[in-house]
Amino acid sequence: MSDKQRIVSGLLELQRTDHDGYLAMAAIIPAMMGVEDIPVPEGHSRGAFKRAIRRIRAVQAGMEKDHPECVPGLKKAAALIRREWLHREDGVKEAAP
């Protein structure tokens, strides 16, 4: 299995089993690659997006000492979710009343 296939299969597994982790990776990978205008992953709650931000920030805190070159990409990923994905009406499920 190639590296690309492993990444895709890992993301699909996260999508099925760990929504917060999937959202975090869906933001981290394009942010670190410099991709602009990333579509909002649909069907996730606001809480899942907020938990994904917390997971990204936890990873960021752990990497600041050993891998400071990764920190700007992680900050960009957290900002993407916070500034763009959380404020779009399409794709974000509201909590049930």
Side-chain angles (χ1 to χ4, degrees):
M1 184 182 292
S2 74
D3 289 342
K4 288 180 184 179
Q5 290 172 325
R6 274 187 280 204
I7 290 171
V8 170
S9 67
L11 284 173
L12 291 174
E13 180 66 22
L14 277 175
Q15 188 177 25
R16 285 191 303 275
T17 60
D18 182 5
H19 299 285
D20 311 339
Y22 168 74
L23 290 172
M25 290 306 294
I28 289 170
I29 292 171
M32 289 189 136
M33 294 175 64
V35 176
E36 300 292 327
D37 196 31
I38 303 160
V40 179
E42 294 185 13
H44 299 281
S45 67
R46 292 182 59 78
F49 284 105
K50 290 179 181 182
R51 287 188 298 273
I53 292 170
R54 284 195 293 272
R55 288 180 85 166
I56 292 170
R57 289 191 175 143
V59 170
Q60 175 187 330
M63 296 187 89
E64 283 181 338
K65 181 179 177 184
D66 296 331
H67 301 285
E69 69 278 3
C70 295
V71 172
L74 294 168
K75 286 182 178 180
K76 186 175 178 182
L80 168 72
I81 295 173
R82 189 179 70 249
R83 293 180 184 158
E84 306 230 353
W85 292 358
L86 271 175
H87 298 290
R88 291 206 181 150
E89 295 298 319
D90 56 335
V92 179
K93 292 192 308 189
E94 293 297 323

